[in-house]
Amino acid sequence: MPATVIVGTQWGDEGKGKITDVFADRADFVVRYQGGNNAGHTIIIGDERFALTLIPSGVLNPGVTPVIGNGTVIDPGVLLEEMATLESRGIDTSLLRVSANAHLIMPYHRKIDALQERYLGSGEIGTTKRGIGPAYTDKYGRHGIRVQDLFDPKIFRDKLAVALKEKNKILVKLYNQLAMDAEEIAAEYLEYGARLTDHVTDTSLLLADALAADKNVLFEGAQGTLLDIDHGTYPFVTSSNPTAGGAAVGSGIGPTALDRIVGVTKAYISRVGSGPFPTELTDEVGATMVEVGGEFGTVTGRRRRCGWLDAVALRYATRVNGLTEIALTKIDVLSEFDTLKICVGYEADGIRFEEMPRQQRVLYQCEPIYEELPGWKQDIGDARSMDDLPPAAREYIERVEKLAGVPVTMVSVGPQRRATLSR
Ligand code: GDP
Ligand code: IMO
Ligand code: MG
């Protein structure tokens, strides 16, 4: 702290929620800067399990102000529902602050997301169908509708009418669907606006004031580096910038304020949805990772594809995020295996790649070059300090850190807060 970014180094689901929750102990503000309710962050506190999609994980720490920044896309109905669910479980959401500049996910975005996927057939991205891509498309096309528009019924209706003129043509003529009714949407959304009004503010100013007052601000990335629209495995990515630079743009603070960038890295790697995955395992080793790691999506319940840690991708994540350190998660899952593998390069057409190849097709065609390390074959879930870990586990961590080029400062051996070792 004072301004720390938590970012996923893989294709999401690295355990960012858990690591954010651990850091949030010392935070005053926890900020989401991109994405929307495509994220699924699971946090276990005692016997309770929380699955957050849009509200920053910091909401679970009393006294923390959770902030949803300008770079996000917000489905207001989902947001209100998530707030109500938390309230019903005794979690106070009154401090939540939402950027007036964030864009809204509209009902036609959800619909078009699903229809586009169907249209792509076997080329589908495997999106979460939450309307994320279409909402960002409208933002960058400069005909999005923003949170602040909810407080001006005339402007909201005008913008909606313009949007629907185009969307209804797309729905009816291209996809053979029913047209959507402007007044129905306006009534629904303006009511959401009335319920959210006390939470909406200039979050850029709020965070600038917080940093000026030496408050601790934590930025919680959603998705991960390889799902970044610029730096990920395009087009099999999400439509925002999860990478650390996105924290500045997506929250309205200058990049000079960011001083610690923590990359959350799972000790193996997973991916939901389509796209290249060099170290993917379709054998029983992969199946064991799914089973022992509980690798099923928080949002859509889909089975995650799993494979060995990819150090080429990790080094890449270190570079594009400017990582200062790594939090290595779910290392307890590796206790199952006699021998562990880490991918240290790719080989395709007799060429060895130690950096992300220029041409993405290499990721489909390559053979991973693996380094083998001994497993430890004993339960490490109860470890509470590095000294409790068997030598082979420590060796694995040291190897990851060497390959990544930045120190591993935190190791997670279980989903609970206390199952976190600092180094
Ligand atoms: P996120 O999207 O990056 O926040 O990650 P998810 O919450 O989608 O997925 C991570 C899953 O692993 C969650 O179910 C966590 O409770 C769980 N988890 C986090 N850290 C650990 C760990 O160190 N060990 C184990 N076994 N589970 C963990
Ligand atoms: P967290 O924050 C894993 C994936 C989807 C799909 C692609 C595009 O929990 O790590 P989208 O709906 O964003 O247009 O889908 O991105 N995806 C995620 N995968 N974890 C996530 O979030 C994801 N959010 C989106 O599966 O492949
Ligand atoms: Mg997740």
Side-chain angles (χ1 to χ4, degrees), residues 11-13 16 38-41 126-128 222-223 227 237-238 272 302:
W11 281 290
D13 303 325
K16 298 175 294 294
N38 48 347
H41 298 175
T127 74
T128 58
Q223 291 83 51
L227 287 173
V237 293
T238 192
V272 223
R302 288 178 291 175

Side-chain angles (χ1 to χ4, degrees), residues 13-18 40-42 298 304 330 332 412-415:
D13 303 325
E14 297 91 348
K16 298 175 294 294
K18 177 198 155 157
H41 298 175
T42 310
T298 315
R304 296 172 182 157
K330 300 188 89 160
D332 52 303
S412 173
V413 294

Side-chain angles (χ1 to χ4, degrees), residues 4 12 15 42 50 75 113 166 195 219 265 330 384 390:
T4 300
T42 310
F50 296 89
D75 192 323
D113 194 352
E166 184 203 23
R195 288 163 63 195
F219 293 89
T265 301
K330 300 188 89 160
R384 291 299 172 260

Side-chain angles (χ1 to χ4, degrees), residues 46-63:
D47 295 335
E48 290 213 77
R49 179 181 177 277
F50 296 89
L52 296 163
T53 68
L54 187 55
I55 298 180
S57 303
V59 72
L60 303 176
N61 289 63

Side-chain angles (χ1 to χ4, degrees), residues 88-313:
S88 73
R89 298 178 65 182
I91 306 292
D92 176 30
T93 61
S94 64
L95 292 178
L96 177 70
R97 291 297 171 264
V98 178
S99 169
N101 287 352
H103 279 250
L104 292 169
I105 296 178
M106 304 296 292
Y108 43 83
H109 292 139
R110 290 192 298 263
K111 186 107 201 184
I112 289 171
D113 194 352
L115 290 164
Q116 278 176 340
E117 283 285 275
R118 209 190 299 163
Y119 205 67
L120 286 169
S122 61
E124 67 163 13
I125 293 165
T127 74
T128 58
K129 300 193 173 76
R130 299 298 190 264
I132 307 294
Y136 277 113
T137 301
D138 279 0
K139 169 177 173 171
Y140 288 101
R142 293 164 298 178
H143 41 254
I145 304 182
R146 296 189 292 174
V147 168
Q148 58 181 282
D149 298 324
L150 293 171
F151 310 121
D152 198 324
K154 175 157 181 353
I155 290 177
F156 185 86
R157 285 196 169 88
D158 286 352
K159 288 190 175 178
L160 180 61
V162 172
L164 275 182
K165 221 160 106 181
E166 184 203 23
K167 305 300 176 200
N168 275 337
K169 282 220 173 74
I170 293 173
L171 287 172
V172 175
K173 303 224 154 125
L174 183 60
Y175 292 117
N176 212 12
Q177 302 287 310
L178 292 176
M180 291 194 167
D181 181 66
E183 203 33 56
E184 221 170 89
I185 297 175
E188 179 188 342
Y189 273 60
L190 293 172
E191 196 248 333
Y192 292 148
R195 288 163 63 195
L196 283 171
T197 187
D198 291 344
H199 296 277
V200 177
T201 189
D202 178 348
T203 49
S204 162
L205 180 60
L206 178 75
L207 294 173
D209 287 346
L211 288 167
D214 273 335
K215 299 285 186 203
N216 288 324
V217 181
L218 188 61
F219 293 89
E220 177 181 9
Q223 291 83 51
T225 304
L226 303 176
L227 287 173
D228 186 283
I229 185 91
D230 284 277
H231 304 293
T233 48
Y234 189 92
F236 301 103
V237 293
T238 192
S239 297
S240 67
N241 289 115
T243 45
V249 180
S251 70
I253 58 136
T256 46
L258 307 175
D259 44 20
R260 209 171 151 188
I261 317 284
V262 182
V264 183
T265 301
K266 186 148 62 181
Y268 50 102
I269 192 164
S270 71
R271 153 158 232 176
V272 223
S274 323
F277 185 169
T279 64
E280 180 170 15
L281 296 168
T282 49
D283 58 6
E284 73 265 31
V285 175
T288 304
M289 288 170 176
V290 173
E291 193 191 318
V292 179
E295 297 294 350
F296 293 91
T298 315
V299 175
T300 56
R302 288 178 291 175
R303 188 179 200 270
R304 296 172 182 157
R305 302 154 66 192
C306 286
W308 294 116
L309 184 69
D310 184 338
V312 179

